[in-house]
Amino acid sequence: MQGNVDNFDSYFFKYWYMFAHMYFGDVNTHDFEVFPHIFLNYETMMRDPMFYMFYKKIASVYFQFFNYVKPYIHEELLFPGVTIKDVKVSELITYFDLVDFDVTNLLSDKMTFVDGQFVWDKTLLARQMRLNHKPFDFEYTVESDKSQKVAVRAFLGPKYDEFGRVISLSKNRANFIEIDSFIYNLTSGVNVLKRTSREFFWTIEDRTTYTEMYKYVMLALDGNYDFPLYISEPHCGFPDRLILPRGWYKGMPMQFFFYVSPFTASYEPYSTYDYTYSCGIGSGVRYIDEMPFGYPFDREIDEYEFFVPNMYFKDVKIYHKDSFEKYYEQKYEKFGNFDYKLYHEL
């Protein structure tokens, strides 16, 4: 369905989801001029609820396949000698902030000739409110009976359904999203592991804009900036600012799931994977070990067999702070003229 090089029929499956998007956008392969449609651009399609309905159907095929795979038994999930004693989670707060993002590439203009050289002296910025969250961290307390290498996974999932009822784990497993995974060397005794949200494996920060890159290059050419030789950024990833859903003022109940398993990979992690040009789909070693993606939620759950000492559930609440509340009663003297200084002077 992905259409990567490992597929037995890459031609058919490569075009399967592309034609699906074209169908929803009411276009065909011979159209050179089309009306703009939200489903024809990756940057906009996630705004449409239809996008999630469509891809939920694709995900259902994945889960339907695993309905034929037997659930993990207690012995397969148990990590003898390892126990998660506690996981402390710092305060979880979401908010909206004002972000100026670079849309200079929309300018169809020529460079300016100044002092004997061509320079680009134009920048176009668009200001938008975006959901963000304050940095948070986990503090694991893990007890081990010996020194060993382990893989640690963290998931975020809902606690209640739309009617305020607790969702059973067997039905809720598909709602848990893996937000972090990493390798750690445990020592014998009690181990304290600290992990911040900025270190999460699956997330990336905002990319360096074109204008910033141009400025760095020109300053370096003039000898006023030491341009780093290696400034590669991830080719793709999930935005760090969206790792938490928008909270409630009174606190939205959610739950974290933490799991420690033995590191059993027969290769060195990331040995054939370079995030600067690949998303890791298809061939290549991207993941931290050889366990399936979503493990241990990849199979149906038998709640009589599932719970082991090396996993830990943590109930949390995500709060939302109204970062624009201070502007509501502010008297705007320059009404009718947008003043960029307003947000910096308050």
Side-chain angles (χ1 to χ4, degrees):
M1 298 176 73
Q2 177 62 39
N4 54 59
V5 295
D6 294 329
N7 204 302
F8 66 91
D9 191 348
S10 60
Y11 179 86
F12 173 79
F13 289 106
K14 179 187 300 183
Y15 290 96
W16 182 85
Y17 73 91
M18 185 187 74
F19 282 142
H21 281 271
M22 295 175 65
Y23 172 77
F24 291 125
D26 194 23
V27 299
N28 62 57
T29 55
H30 303 292
D31 290 339
F32 289 96
E33 296 181 1
V34 300
F35 289 105
H37 194 280
I38 196 169
F39 246 91
L40 300 180
N41 297 282
Y42 290 106
E43 298 82 2
T44 59
M45 61 179 60
M46 286 189 291
R47 304 175 187 174
D48 194 334
M50 184 66 183
F51 169 87
Y52 299 94
M53 296 172 62
F54 172 57
Y55 276 89
K56 186 176 182 180
K57 186 65 176 178
I58 296 179
S60 68
V61 178
Y62 173 81
F63 287 108
Q64 184 179 1
F65 167 78
F66 276 95
N67 289 339
Y68 296 94
V69 181
K70 293 182 179 180
Y72 293 109
I73 61 176
H74 189 81
E75 289 72 17
E76 291 177 310
L77 298 172
L78 180 64
F79 191 177
V82 174
T83 303
I84 302 180
K85 292 294 186 180
D86 186 29
V87 180
K88 295 180 180 178
V89 181
S90 62
E91 193 173 27
L92 307 173
I93 298 177
T94 62
Y95 63 95
F96 284 100
D97 59 355
L98 290 172
V99 178
D100 294 333
F101 60 95
D102 192 358
V103 292
T104 309
N105 57 337
L106 296 178
L107 294 175
S108 179
D109 207 344
K110 299 179 180 179
M111 300 182 72
T112 306
F113 191 75
V114 179
D115 295 333
Q117 61 180 348
F118 287 99
V119 296
W120 179 262
D121 58 353
K122 307 173 184 64
T123 300
L124 180 62
L125 301 176
R127 174 164 288 189
Q128 184 184 43
M129 287 197 309
R130 301 195 315 187
L131 181 66
N132 207 335
H133 66 82
K134 292 186 177 181
F136 61 94
D137 58 77
F138 300 143
E139 184 177 302
Y140 299 82
T141 301
V142 182
E143 186 176 356
S144 177
D145 62 349
K146 60 181 178 180
S147 298
Q148 50 191 326
K149 197 173 185 179
V150 300
V152 183
R153 290 174 168 82
F155 294 78
L156 176 64
K159 181 71 175 180
Y160 305 99
D161 62 11
E162 65 273 24
F163 302 107
R165 301 173 300 192
V166 176
I167 310 175
S168 66
L169 189 59
S170 60
K171 295 181 179 180
N172 202 18
R173 69 180 183 90
N175 299 321
F176 276 88
I177 304 299
E178 184 174 344
I179 61 174
D180 188 27
S181 56
F182 62 97
I183 299 171
Y184 193 84
N185 291 309
L186 294 177
T187 59
S188 179
V190 178
N191 299 261
V192 178
L193 296 62
K194 292 187 178 180
R195 186 82 168 174
T196 67
S197 58
R198 301 302 186 194
E199 299 175 305
F200 285 178
F201 174 67
W202 300 105
T203 60
I204 60 172
E205 302 289 340
D206 289 341
R207 297 177 62 87
T208 303
T209 64
Y210 170 81
T211 300
E212 291 173 324
M213 184 64 69
Y214 177 81
K215 181 179 179 181
Y216 296 152
V217 172
M218 298 307 296
L219 288 175
L221 290 175
D222 295 336
N224 298 323
Y225 178 69
D226 187 11
F227 194 84
L229 296 179
Y230 185 81
I231 56 171
S232 299
E233 297 178 345
H235 178 70
C236 59
F238 193 82
D240 170 78
R241 61 184 180 86
L242 296 177
I243 197 68
L244 293 180
R246 183 185 183 278
W248 298 348
Y249 296 107
K250 63 178 181 179
M252 180 175 66
M254 298 286 286
Q255 57 182 330
F256 283 109
F257 171 78
F258 306 98
Y259 184 65
V260 179
S261 59
F263 179 76
T264 57
S266 57
Y267 50 77
E268 188 66 24
Y270 325 125
S271 57
T272 63
Y273 167 68
D274 187 346
Y275 65 77
T276 60
Y277 67 86
S278 172
C279 291
I281 299 174
S283 298
V285 180
R286 173 182 184 180
Y287 307 113
I288 64 172
D289 56 18
E290 296 176 331
M291 304 308 294
F293 181 72
Y295 171 79
F297 289 124
D298 57 313
R299 301 184 186 181
E300 288 191 337
I301 293 177
D302 182 354
E303 297 190 20
Y304 292 100
E305 299 279 342
F306 187 76
F307 299 100
V308 290
N310 50 298
M311 61 176 57
Y312 191 87
F313 285 89
K314 181 78 172 184
D315 290 343
V316 296
K317 286 187 176 181
I318 302 177
Y319 297 89
H320 184 77
K321 180 180 179 182
D322 191 349
S323 54
F324 296 99
E325 186 176 3
K326 58 183 178 181
Y327 304 128
Y328 295 162
E329 303 299 329
Q330 179 72 19
K331 186 177 180 181
Y332 196 17
E333 297 179 354
K334 297 184 179 181
F335 183 79
N337 298 292
F338 191 82
D339 183 10
Y340 281 90
K341 297 181 179 179
L342 173 68
Y343 298 100
H344 301 289
E345 293 176 352
L346 293 180

